[in-house]
Amino acid sequence: MILTNRLPDFLEADLNNAIRTTDGFQKFFKTVFFNLQFLKYVTCITYSISKSSDIKTTDSDKFLINSFQIPSEGTWLQLLNTILSSSNNVYLEDVKKILRSKIRSQTIKKFLNTYYSIFNTSGIGQECITSIEFFEKVINIKNRLVSHNLVTPELAEKVVNDLIPTTYDIINHLDNLLLISL
């Protein structure tokens, strides 16, 4: 069961817009955009949880001040990792477990095989991924393919056919995190 009803309205609308798009090229771009927005949302939830206690989170606050003038998606991911690694906050323990636990499915294996074959890197046959690793791969797709205008309609179709089911796996895995934010 896909739990998109736990997403905020703007993310649910972006995801539905991507899914309903019939053109594979546009569907690819909209799905990548959704995942990057979802990363930002997850980072905001995590930051909010980290600030919900009396424990100081100076590393993440310093990172925000020094690196968020014009943040890239990589900067958002770096903030998320900074929050998770710099805090002894008990409120974040469940969040850390959710974001760092391995997710295994056939759709993830298929996505990873496509990802590694596109970039000619080792990893084909890998069967599991963490949510953070998934976001890293989406950022890499955006940086290496979209930003350099290397996406052909055929490549977009190939990637999006594996990216959408994997996106649903990630959303379902992060369901408990989304519940925390409600």
Side-chain angles (χ1 to χ4, degrees):
M1 183 166 90
I2 299 167
L3 302 169
T4 60
N5 62 330
R6 297 239 172 89
L7 293 172
D9 292 343
F10 73 97
L11 282 176
E12 187 175 1
D14 285 347
L15 181 58
N16 288 333
N17 187 14
I19 301 306
R20 289 187 186 120
T21 302
T22 56
D23 177 75
F25 200 58
Q26 288 300 314
K27 185 178 276 199
F28 166 80
F29 286 104
K30 289 179 181 186
T31 305
V32 169
F33 174 78
F34 165 80
N35 279 292
L36 296 173
Q37 294 302 99
F38 189 47
L39 162 63
K40 293 172 186 177
Y41 181 68
V42 167
T43 303
C44 289
I45 291 170
T46 305
Y47 182 76
S48 175
I49 293 168
S50 76
K51 299 305 272 183
S52 65
S53 75
D54 293 334
I55 297 171
K56 300 292 183 203
T57 54
T58 55
D59 289 344
S60 56
D61 292 338
K62 285 179 189 175
F63 185 84
L64 275 171
I65 291 167
N66 295 326
S67 302
F68 256 65
Q69 290 79 18
I70 305 175
S72 66
E73 287 82 9
T75 305
W76 280 93
L77 185 61
Q78 197 174 356
L79 174 61
L80 180 59
N81 282 319
T82 300
I83 295 165
L84 294 175
S85 66
S86 68
S87 178
N88 294 325
N89 190 330
V90 292
Y91 295 108
L92 280 177
E93 289 307 311
D94 289 338
V95 176
K96 288 178 186 181
K97 286 177 190 168
I98 293 168
L99 291 171
R100 292 180 173 163
S101 64
K102 294 283 187 180
I103 311 161
R104 180 183 310 269
S105 74
Q106 282 304 112
T107 56
I108 288 174
K109 181 178 180 179
K110 193 173 175 198
F111 167 74
L112 290 171
N113 285 338
T114 299
Y115 176 86
Y116 290 121
S117 69
I118 289 169
F119 296 114
N120 295 318
T121 57
S122 62
I124 292 178
Q126 186 179 345
E127 296 182 0
C128 55
I129 193 171
T130 68
S131 301
I132 291 175
E133 291 167 341
F134 171 74
F135 289 130
E136 287 172 352
K137 287 175 179 24
V138 172
I139 290 169
N140 200 30
I141 289 169
K142 185 250 182 196
N143 289 344
R144 292 179 65 184
L145 298 178
V146 176
S147 296
H148 294 285
N149 211 17
L150 298 175
V151 182
T152 63
E154 297 79 23
L155 181 60
E157 189 84 33
K158 180 179 179 180
V159 172
V160 80
N161 286 338
D162 297 331
L163 183 58
I164 289 174
T166 302
T167 297
Y168 281 129
D169 281 354
I170 298 297
I171 291 169
N172 285 333
H173 179 74
L174 294 180
D175 180 54
N176 289 332
L177 181 62
L178 297 173
L179 279 173
I180 292 169
S181 69
L182 294 176

